[in-house]
Amino acid sequence: MSYFKHAILTLVFSILSISTSIGYAADNENVRYLEQNWSDKERDYFYFADQGSRLVPYDFFLHLEQADNEQLFRNDNSMLSFGFIPAAPSANNPDGLPIGLARNGDKMGPTCAACHTQQITYNNQNIRIDGGQAFVDLQLFLTQLTSSLKATVDDKQKFLRFQQKLLGDKPTEKQQQALQQQLLAEYEKRSHYAIQNHTDLGYGFTRLDAFGSILNQARIATGVDNNTTPPNAPTSYPYIWDTPQHDYVEWNGSQSNSGVGALARNIGEVIGVFGDIETETSNWLGFIDGGYDSSINTSELRELEHIVSKLYSPLWPDSFPEIDDDLVKVGRGLYEQHCIQCHVDMDRTDPMRKIQVRMSTLAEINTDPLMAENAIYTTGKTGKFEGRPRYYFAGNALAEEAPAIHIANNIMVGILKNNPLQSTLAKRDAKNLGHPDVNHPPKYVDGEIIEHGQEVSDHALLAYKARPLNGVWTSAPYLHNGSVPDMYQLLLPAEQRVKQFYLGSWEYDVKNLGYISQATDSSFLFDTTLTGNSNAGHEYGTGYYGEQPLTEQERWALIEYLKTL
């Protein structure tokens, strides 16, 4: 069959059963792409570039069945149930994996596109938002993947079908035994990961405790048993346009983009999504310190950062209801009165744009503190890292027990040490984007500029970041932990916000700026009364800070203005 015919067949539009409310289009002709300054080639590269994640063997993922039936685990409907966006085969994605899953040699794993590619629907139109907040439930995906591995181990007929797909009709006994052993090893690996990262809190769609996962992976690398804590502070996948232009990134502003910071940040991301790391120092030519070997593809990470630096935020689609210009004028005045002190203006298409973010301490913002607190106060045994400097070759030596973020710092810098050329080029990239060649430039916290010594730096992480709001209409649910379903709710006093809402539909609510909340068999119930899920705080414009509260008409005017950003 020709590639063209094969591609046409794979573009057949599938719809989930009535029991689910997630809809999609795999056919690119049925998807509208907003103008965000990416070419088709750049978009495809972002979707499927190999970062070095090694979740499971690639051939296993292609041929595993779902745990409770004979359908492939990776078929479109299955992937949709986790929120992944189906995609047709392409040069970078020959087997038609969903967006954000990519091949790494003989393995497969998530890429940044899994969490930062969004698709919404409105009036039966599918709208792709590159760099937007994905709808993926990675927690559910990993749980069901582990279940599929276990079922294939336990069910003889399921294993025989799996074996036939991988080994053909006449495998040798040695091949069969090797496959059984490899399958069992993969199941045990994924099962052990599930135990190490267990949390009673369900994440649901649109969020993940990425920081908690990275800190756990760092502590697992120490070689010490029972050295992890529940990753119980999930945060929304943030939209990533303008991220390379920010001076600080992450919800708690923990990572600077100056120097080699952007590459270090992306290395941390791959550590959290199953990059393989060798934590014993390698030697080059027998005596040169070569840092830590890993599966992480740093050249790809630099190229991805370069592509993201070109990305523009999306504008309100012309297929949506027309914006009311008169309301926008009123809303702009309210924005200047209540919002602009933290969420500064910017030109979304300025090639020289540079963003100095504003941080608000926990006491000021009063939103759920768990993510920021976990990042600072989580500790672990250092094991094989005991005595090594925090920053691999600099900083205080790690004691027997240390903040988990310090262990992660050692690993990230050790991997940078193993990639000297890419580290040097990353510093050049940062300079080209206008960032200073220093580790910790000054930072705005509660409206004041602080200088960064290390002690001050750690303390400043007990805060959350406010960023420019261009494209904010795409990013519901709101607040760092995704606890407020739409913009209208965010402008209410916290006590008046809904305590529960459903996530599962990609249908966009053009009035309130959020997703349609609808209970179905596949939707996730978000409960704001659970630890880590608080929807308190960020009560600007409600009178909480002593200001004149917004009227109902003013709320709608402000929402109308936010549509224009």
Side-chain angles (χ1 to χ4, degrees), residues 51-193:
Q51 298 179 186
S53 174
R54 299 177 66 80
L55 174 60
V56 291
Y58 186 78
D59 288 343
F60 279 27
F61 187 73
L62 290 185
H63 300 300
L64 271 175
E65 294 177 355
Q66 296 171 43
D68 57 357
N69 61 64
E70 297 182 22
Q71 296 295 311
L72 287 178
F73 180 81
R74 50 75 51 109
N75 75 30
D76 285 349
N77 283 349
S78 174
M79 291 294 99
L80 274 165
S81 70
F82 311 123
F84 284 100
I85 302 171
S90 68
N92 287 334
N93 182 34
D95 293 299
L97 298 186
I99 291 171
L101 296 181
R103 186 169 192 162
N104 175 256
D106 62 349
K107 296 292 182 75
M108 183 282 303
T111 76
C112 53
C115 300
H116 303 292
T117 306
Q118 183 178 16
Q119 191 156 298
I120 61 177
T121 61
Y122 178 71
N123 279 352
N124 298 316
Q125 183 181 60
N126 297 279
I127 299 172
R128 182 72 50 79
I129 300 170
D130 288 320
Q133 180 176 338
F135 211 82
V136 170
D137 186 339
L138 196 59
Q139 185 186 48
L140 179 62
F141 168 73
L142 295 174
T143 299
Q144 293 302 315
L145 176 61
T146 304
S147 296
S148 288
L149 288 166
K150 185 178 191 307
T152 310
V153 169
D154 292 343
D155 186 322
K156 182 178 180 180
Q157 294 304 313
K158 191 176 285 287
F159 174 78
L160 288 175
R161 291 191 297 271
F162 181 69
Q163 173 185 280
Q164 195 278 333
K165 292 171 185 173
L166 270 72
L167 302 180
D169 294 328
K170 297 181 179 180
T172 65
E173 183 175 348
K174 183 177 181 180
Q175 288 176 318
Q176 294 179 63
Q177 291 176 348
L179 180 60
Q180 287 175 326
Q181 291 170 358
Q182 186 184 12
L183 180 65
L184 179 60
E186 289 298 328
Y187 163 65
E188 290 177 342
K189 181 179 179 181
R190 296 269 52 85
S191 179
H192 192 47
Y193 174 89

Side-chain angles (χ1 to χ4, degrees), residues 411-447:
I411 294 173
M412 287 188 286
V413 178
I415 293 171
L416 288 169
K417 175 72 173 176
N418 192 251
N419 292 271
L421 174 60
Q422 297 303 325
S423 296
T424 299
L425 293 174
K427 291 182 179 180
R428 182 199 65 183
D429 296 342
K431 287 183 178 179
N432 289 341
L433 286 169
H435 298 299
D437 190 15
V438 295
N439 290 328
H440 295 287
K443 178 188 286 189
Y444 274 96
V445 181
D446 287 349

Side-chain angles (χ1 to χ4, degrees), residues 342-343 359-369 446 462-466 479-480 497 536-540 544-545:
C342 296
H343 301 288
M359 303 294 301
S360 296
T361 58
L362 300 182
E364 166 69 18
I365 194 71
N366 201 36
T367 53
D368 193 295
D446 287 349
L462 291 173
Y464 290 123
K465 184 184 75 170
L479 296 185
H480 73 278
R497 296 169 185 165
H538 197 280
E539 296 187 74
Y540 303 99
Y544 179 86
Y545 295 95

Side-chain angles (χ1 to χ4, degrees), residues 303-317:
E303 179 61 21
L304 285 165
E305 188 77 3
H306 173 70
I307 288 174
V308 172
S309 72
K310 299 173 64 176
L311 185 66
Y312 293 164
S313 56
L315 294 177
W316 185 259

